[in-house]
Amino acid sequence: MANPSGRETRFIFGFHAVRSRLRNDPEGVVEIHVAAQRNDGRARDLVALAETQNVRVIPTDTGRLDGMAGGAVHQGVVARVDARHKVLQLDDILDTLEGPALLLVLDGVTDPHNLGACLRAADAAGAQAVIAPKDRSASLNATAIKVASGAADTVPYVTVTNLSRALRQMQDAGVWIIGAAGEAEQDLYAVDQTGPVAWVLGAEGDGLRRLTRDTCDVLARIPMYGSVDSLNVSVASGICLFEAARQRRA
């Protein structure tokens, strides 16, 4: 959509997502709509932050907020932001890495809730980027941004045309590719992750595609001690990335 200035805009919603955008890209925030009836501390803090960034805050009725958020849970805050994202290429990530690479690759993750949660886990573990194929992947929409709780503004989400080719490009750059697979012989604790690594995870139930699996340098499993035999991809991502972080701290 476009506003009167001709600027292409879209909506994001939720306190974490809006506050993160205000802190990381205030110039990209056109205006913020806050539920007219909200006057609690959380809302006042957001309004105060917006004022320091010279961003207009508009008291808005809940029905209009519901329409802006497409019926999603918006917590009483919706922001109109610049729709243009800087399009990052894999080269941009590999050329600007500081320290050993820690990357998360998602193969066939199509749920925006899962994408948002994976971005959040990647941020928490210190990963430099999340990478996914352009097809059969969730888009970075308002739902994913809200679930990411600010991580969508701190962790680049890079989409590639050919995932296998991108994995080989990472290998050429010295990154060790570890695929998560339940049937792998060794578990993730036995894999050395102190150097540059990229964890590759597929969607729960589907796992990695064959060509993706064949391109990995090694496969590793998460040990399961209970009755379930699989984990949500965002949970699995957190386990894998934090094991890499643990090994590096050790």
Side-chain angles (χ1 to χ4, degrees):
M1 70 186 70
N3 66 359
S5 68
R7 194 176 181 183
E8 286 296 320
T9 62
R10 62 190 179 91
F11 292 118
I12 64 173
F13 46 82
F15 277 96
H16 285 299
V18 174
R19 187 166 54 242
S20 175
R21 185 59 60 92
L22 270 174
R23 288 174 173 167
N24 292 288
D25 182 25
E27 295 82 6
V29 182
V30 178
E31 61 193 21
I32 297 174
H33 296 261
V34 177
Q37 69 273 23
R38 286 205 67 150
N39 191 32
D40 54 280
R42 199 176 190 189
R44 290 196 298 270
D45 288 345
L46 181 67
V47 171
L49 177 60
E51 289 175 349
T52 64
Q53 303 289 7
N54 296 316
V55 175
R56 181 172 63 148
V57 177
I58 304 171
T60 306
D61 66 80
T62 302
R64 189 178 176 202
L65 292 175
D66 291 342
M68 292 175 177
V73 178
H74 49 69
Q75 301 176 304
V77 57
V78 177
R80 186 191 295 273
V81 301
D82 196 326
R84 295 169 299 176
H85 282 289
K86 180 183 178 183
V87 179
L88 289 173
Q89 305 296 326
L90 183 56
D91 283 336
D92 298 325
I93 301 300
L94 296 177
D95 290 345
T96 57
L97 287 174
E98 295 183 5
L102 180 56
L103 306 171
L104 174 62
V105 181
L106 302 176
D107 183 23
V109 175
T110 58
D111 184 345
H113 291 86
N114 282 336
L115 171 59
C118 286
L119 284 164
R120 192 171 183 177
D123 176 88
Q128 294 104 338
V130 175
I131 299 151
K134 289 181 179 177
D135 61 334
R136 296 182 69 250
S137 293
S139 62
L140 191 59
N141 60 19
T143 298
I145 291 171
K146 179 179 183 294
V147 174
S149 297
D153 293 318
T154 58
V155 179
Y157 180 52
V158 180
T159 57
V160 296
T161 303
N162 186 305
L163 185 58
S164 295
R165 184 184 307 135
L167 293 175
R168 290 192 293 271
Q169 183 180 349
M170 292 181 226
Q171 290 168 327
D172 290 342
V175 179
W176 186 249
I177 308 297
I178 309 171
E183 73 280 6
E185 294 183 2
Q186 58 183 333
D187 64 41
L188 77 165
Y189 305 116
V191 178
D192 183 358
Q193 301 174 53
T194 55
V197 300
W199 269 101
V200 189
L201 286 87
E204 182 181 1
D206 295 332
L208 301 176
R209 290 180 290 178
R210 183 189 59 79
L211 189 55
T212 302
R213 178 190 303 265
D214 291 346
T215 309
C216 293
D217 293 301
V218 65
L219 299 177
R221 58 182 171 81
I222 298 174
M224 306 290 286
Y225 303 109
S227 58
V228 299
D229 59 4
S230 65
L231 294 170
N232 176 273
V233 64
S234 63
V235 175
S237 296
I239 292 171
C240 295
L241 293 173
F242 271 95
E243 172 57 16
R246 184 197 67 80
Q247 290 190 18
R248 294 171 186 203
R249 285 176 61 89

